[in-house]
Amino acid sequence: MRIGLDMMGGDYAPGEAVKGVKLFFDTVTSDAHLVLIGDEAALKPLLEEAQLDVSRYTVVHASQVIGMNEHPTRALKEKQQSSIAIGFYLLQHKKIDAFISAGNTGAMMVGTFYSIKAIEGVQRPTIATLVPRENGTYGLLLDVGLNADCKPENLVQFAILGSLYSKHILNEATPRVGLLNIGEEEGKGNLLAQAAYPMLKDETRIHFVGNVEGRDIFTDKSDVIVCEGFTGNIVLKMAESFHEIARRRGIDDEYIDRFDFEYYGGTPVLGVSEPVIIGHGISHQRAFKNMIGVAERMLETQLLEKIKESFIAK
């Protein structure tokens, strides 16, 4: 498998990206070949210093970089030689099997939708995040920001996508799906939640366990929690703040440490036809290493093929 990595994306690129590649090579037994996309002049001394096995990676030169604050659509159009644009070109033309970047999130989303498209039958692709649970495992929350406004059928599809990810990536045999709501009883919530509940209940491709409340997010009550992206993004940003507050206050707690986004690296875009993983702009080496691991796992388990089969079967 060939995994493409944007070496110029993120506040600490390319240095932390190179360190992440080295950490992956040093700690993970893998047959993956990494395609490192970026400015050769900037990468060469860093790669030489890291003393990486040259047989395990290839450098593809990119003369341009899309800045974090640039307009996504305009930047992609005007910077065809940027690391993000080249990454999507390689993915679209099957030169790589997955693409990872911690660069401009908007450019990554525009590139995803205009280069590789959604899987047939998926109305709206979604982005998900891992949720640390008190028992030491991870749940999955989606959507976390891509779809601020949703229809009930969108939440049903998020549940299907999340269930497949939970089963094949997180190894949950029969993922339990919960609908994020303001009460446990059926009929609770706003119009979206009230309309989505019976549709989720009738969906045969998931194991729906009913409503879950905010207090249940970090417990073992469900494995997949679905909501529209407005609520999901608020939950995500609040959860990320736990680790930041604890660090500022000098609190050392193993559970709180798992709220550090570097534990899971990046956010997969679910529902598109090729693996795309978007990293945090402040990613360091551990985040890059973990993003590569997620991409590898998605390819090994043939997750996208299973998603395609699920939607075709319906």
Side-chain angles (χ1 to χ4, degrees):
M1 68 182 72
R2 296 171 65 85
I3 298 174
L5 179 61
D6 173 12
M7 301 300 288
M8 312 308 291
D11 295 345
Y12 305 107
E16 288 299 313
V18 172
K19 291 178 182 177
V21 171
K22 179 175 175 56
L23 186 61
F24 178 78
F25 285 162
D26 288 348
T27 59
V28 178
T29 301
S30 171
D31 294 327
H33 185 88
L34 301 187
V35 177
L36 311 182
I37 308 162
D39 186 337
E40 282 185 311
L43 290 176
K44 184 177 179 181
L46 296 172
L47 293 170
E48 290 177 349
E49 182 182 357
Q51 298 183 328
L52 303 179
D53 181 350
V54 296
S55 69
R56 300 188 66 184
Y57 72 89
T58 301
V59 176
V60 173
H61 178 60
S63 60
Q64 297 174 309
V65 178
I66 294 178
M68 299 299 276
N69 297 317
E70 291 191 63
H71 187 279
T73 305
R74 184 167 60 246
L76 272 176
K77 183 177 180 180
E78 295 176 353
K79 292 186 172 181
Q80 292 292 303
Q81 296 304 309
S82 66
S83 51
I84 289 179
I86 290 175
F88 278 114
Y89 175 86
L90 295 174
L91 188 63
Q92 184 181 20
H93 290 84
K94 309 296 183 181
K95 304 295 184 181
I96 56 178
D97 302 305
F99 181 45
I100 300 165
S101 177
N104 185 304
T105 300
M108 284 295 292
M109 295 310 308
V110 171
T112 298
F113 294 137
Y114 285 94
S115 297
I116 59 175
K117 312 298 183 182
I119 289 172
E120 185 177 354
V122 175
Q123 297 173 352
R124 291 191 186 181
T126 177
I127 52 177
T129 190
L130 295 181
V131 177
R133 299 189 289 195
E134 199 171 2
N135 65 0
T137 63
Y138 283 98
L140 192 72
L141 174 70
L142 69 169
D143 183 272
V144 291
L146 183 55
N147 302 283
D149 295 298
C150 292
K151 297 178 180 179
E153 52 265 34
N154 300 145
L155 297 191
V156 175
Q157 290 200 343
F158 297 167
I160 297 166
L161 293 167
S163 293
L164 290 166
Y165 190 90
S166 179
K167 179 177 181 179
H168 298 291
I169 305 299
L170 303 180
N171 299 316
E172 291 287 350
T174 307
R176 298 159 296 165
V177 176
L179 173 64
L180 190 58
N181 210 328
I182 59 172
E184 294 182 351
E185 302 85 3
E186 184 173 354
K188 284 278 190 176
N190 57 16
L191 293 176
L192 174 63
Q194 291 176 23
Y197 190 104
M199 296 174 67
L200 289 164
K201 189 176 180 180
D202 291 341
E203 176 54 60
T204 59
R205 288 170 288 182
I206 63 172
H207 176 43
F208 183 55
V209 295
N211 291 325
V212 295
E213 299 183 73
R215 64 187 176 189
D216 303 316
I217 292 174
F218 306 114
T219 70
D220 189 37
K221 187 170 183 179
S222 66
D223 304 301
V224 178
I225 300 174
V226 295
C227 60
E228 90 295 338
F230 185 89
T231 300
N233 190 263
I234 290 173
V235 172
L236 169 64
K237 297 297 175 58
M238 180 188 68
E240 287 182 345
S241 74
F242 293 165
H243 179 261
E244 296 171 5
I245 292 170
R247 185 168 54 188
R248 286 198 299 267
R249 296 177 65 87
I251 298 172
D252 184 16
D253 182 89
E254 182 180 357
Y255 174 63
I256 295 296
D257 285 345
R258 293 172 59 226
F259 282 86
D260 183 354
F261 73 91
E262 300 234 350
Y263 263 75
Y264 51 87
T267 299
V269 184
L270 299 178
V272 293
S273 57
E274 303 291 344
V276 174
I277 296 172
I278 301 174
H280 205 298
I282 56 172
S283 292
H284 289 84
Q285 58 179 306
R286 184 171 59 174
F288 282 105
K289 174 249 183 182
N290 287 335
M291 282 190 280
I292 298 168
V294 170
E296 181 180 43
R297 181 71 175 151
M298 290 177 71
L299 291 169
E300 286 177 340
T301 61
Q302 298 183 314
L303 175 64
L304 297 191
E305 285 71 17
K306 292 177 171 64
I307 291 174
K308 292 173 186 176
E309 291 170 3
S310 180
F311 279 86
I312 290 172
K314 192 66 175 180

